[in-house]
Amino acid sequence: MALRLPSKVLEHILSFIDSNEDRNSVSLVCKSWFETERKTRKRVFVGNCYAVSPAAVARRFPEMRSLTLKGKPHFADYNLVPDGWGGYACPWVDALAAKSPSLEEIRLKRMVVTDECLEKIAASFKDFKVLVLTSCEGFSTDGIAAIASTCRNLRVLELRECIVEDLGGDWLSYFPKTSTSLVSLDFSCLDSEVKISDLERLVSRSPNLKSLKLNPAVTLDGLVSILSRAPQLTELGTGSFAAELKPEAFSKLSKAFSNCKQLQSLSGLWDVLPEYLPALYSVCPGLISLNLSYATVRMPDLVELLRRCSKLQKLWVMDLIEDKGLEAVATYCKELRELRVFPSEPDLDATNIPVTEQGLVYVSKGCRKLESVLYFCVQFTNAALITIARKRPNLKCFRLCVIEPFAPDYKTNEPLDKGFKAIAEGCKDLRRLSVSGLLSDKAFKYIGKHAKKVRMLSIAFAGDSDLMLHHLLSGCESLKKLEIRDCPFGDTALLENAAKLETMRSLWMSSCFVSFGACKLLSQKMPRLNVEVIDEHPPKTRPESSPVERIYIYRTVAGPRMDTPEFVWTLHKNPEIGVSRLAIK
Amino acid sequence: MEGGSASGSASALSNDENLVVSCEDSSSPVGNELELGLTLSLGRKGYRDCRVPYADDSSSSSSSSSLSRASVVAGIKRTADSMAATSGQVVGWPPIRTYRMNSMVNQTKTSASEDQNSEIRPEEVNKNRIDATKMRNSIFVKVTMDGIPIGRKIDLNAHKCYESLSNTLEEMFLNPKTGSNTRECDGRMETPLKILPDGSSGLVLTYEDKEGDWMLVGDVPWGMFIGSVRRLRIMKTSEATGKAQMIL
């Protein structure tokens, strides 16, 4: 007879297991392990808010204290998902208010959050501590004020790149005079000026404040005043860094920074004037993370700053850094783990190329710990990709965006197949990959064959035929999220690999060749997938063979969703459209 | 796999308020069509022909099957000129978040003015930034309609007149169809329902101004309206009107 582990012992063991992936595995062992695990899970992560109902989550995890939810598909960041698609936080908050009143932390990404929703959060969760909204929209500063005023123990309030209806800077004054619990505040995405005196008072009475990210409306003077009240900060997002150049202003700023001996992360720096950069020199040696991606600082000034950052692990910068600057990074920033290089110009232009593939090659050679790359440039070569793969087999995230669609290797005029083959083959721990440039089906054959640990794959303007999709769906074992735009995929590959879709979180395809008939068929064959056709054409007028604009397919145990807008078709919504008569081999 | 009309794909662009093409840009219909041709050609049969590297600049957007890749790319660049420098020439490309894209556009503006003035006044810089984060001088206001729990947002700067605004709101709340978010202000009224406060539809459009008062839309000149509106609300004029068909 098998010995049974007493549940108290199991509970104790589980208290050491934080990773949700591990906990998910634990919960599959047997019923009693499932029960013990679910009763002890405190941090719940739901990668797709439509994959499960809020009631089910609340029921399963009675001790839940922290919930992370993601809504819209990733390509919504680039305007590919029309407004009104969905991703509403309200139903979740309503359900949790009733069933999980002890909830303390809510983190939402790409969701639609209303003021009413925020008010409900403030009113329903007595010990609410953490609110982090990333790329969310639908609310105004009124909702923020409600959170600030009502959540007595609020520790974290972060608005990261949200689209907020800004009704003024009064929201800050709603923090009660007695609140002293703030640890992190991020209002960098808001426009309006806040009263600096309110901010000063709030900062002064928050001894635990470690992270503060100001919005661009905060001036340098304001910054100096805040820093003098919060020298214990470890993360700082400055406001606007532009001001009339006065020697006293500079020395005050310098002194304020030099007093922040624990500063590890620096961001903001909008409109930074190069003359003010030396004020930052004193904090550089301690910096682990530096976000210069909004700072239009050019070359020699950049190097002066970066060569002092010997401990830097994360660098976000604009392509104004040029290849030369990246060479300097390779020399001085030996601890670098993550590099992101963003374009400084919104227009496609091959005439002024600040960074080339050479810049990334320098960093790959010089920075041994480099594992995450996001790189925008105009063109690339296979040779460079092969070098990068050879030098940095430890890459975990490789996102290359060659801005010119279909750009071949500009030296040999070949597709970039060989290069990405090297990446897929060489970087065995690769978990996230974005490809670009001219790519044939072959490239995807290699990726399917070698990229066994890739979980998220993004593809645009690539491939020749259905084979491409087939290689990916049949080859990439760990694939969880696949997003594709403007590629010539059709129905065959999709329908042949339908079963694979249940092992993935989601598939997004836009401007491809998938027909309406195939969508209907897939919908019928796979009841545990939600197949959404996002298209302006009303379904009744759509012939079977016409390609649809966008499809979004995701696995779900919650069944079809009830809040689809007019332009989203699902089988559930229009069953009278009937069975697809499309013949599939 | 042919099928789907050019106007169908238009909405892939225009359905997104962020990419509104303003009324006065007379080249915009052409620009849109060019871009549609590209989007179509990229997603249609013509795409497979786009393997030939030699340029064929004489090809036009209308014959998608003869577009070569070089001219597709050239077309992408041509569209860059015809559209305002906004979030990319092709929808969502390059893949940069809207927030960051706006900062880039703003910085192009700011650095241009930097050349002219050696000093940058912080108010000016902040104003530029505020404009940029409001999507290139867009004025987004919330619009709610009685009976619909979820509000929408609309860019008022995309309209020049009340009719255009009214048409857009009708489409958004009462009769969503294909079509762009902006209309020419030539007085064309295609749908029978009107939201402008003449009571014929049973609905009135009201707005909250900066003082917090609710007013009827249409009483003041457009420019004055734009300057003082905070949010919009579509109300029923009488209880007797049954619930209007709302599709959101």
Side-chain angles (χ1 to χ4, degrees), chain A residues 166 168-173 187 190-200 214-215 217-218:
Chain A
D166 199 323
D170 303 332
W171 61 272
L172 189 68
S173 61
F187 60 98
L190 297 181
D191 296 331
S192 298
E193 217 178 304
V194 297
K195 246 171 53 189
I196 206 68
S197 53
D198 281 341
L199 189 55
E200 285 165 355
L214 309 168
N215 69 351
V218 176

Side-chain angles (χ1 to χ4, degrees), chain B residues 141-214:
Chain B
V141 294
K142 217 196 271 196
V143 190
T144 49
M145 177 161 170
D146 285 358
I148 298 185
I150 294 160
R152 300 289 300 274
K153 273 208 166 138
I154 188 169
D155 177 6
L156 288 178
N157 248 355
H159 303 274
K160 276 195 307 185
C161 57
Y162 286 117
E163 275 170 23
S164 159
L165 173 64
S166 168
N167 284 336
T168 302
L169 289 176
E170 281 161 39
E171 272 173 33
M172 232 188 229
F173 284 93
L174 303 178
N175 197 12
K177 275 210 282 235
T178 63
S180 62
N181 282 343
T182 61
R183 292 274 164 136
E184 292 305 318
C185 299
D186 60 2
R188 264 186 308 135
M189 287 293 181
E190 286 176 337
T191 54
L193 287 169
K194 279 171 67 167
I195 293 187
L196 278 183
D198 69 348
S200 60
S201 61
L203 295 166
V204 279
L205 181 61
T206 60
Y207 72 101
E208 184 187 20
D209 70 5
K210 290 213 150 60
E211 271 93 58
D213 301 320
W214 286 91

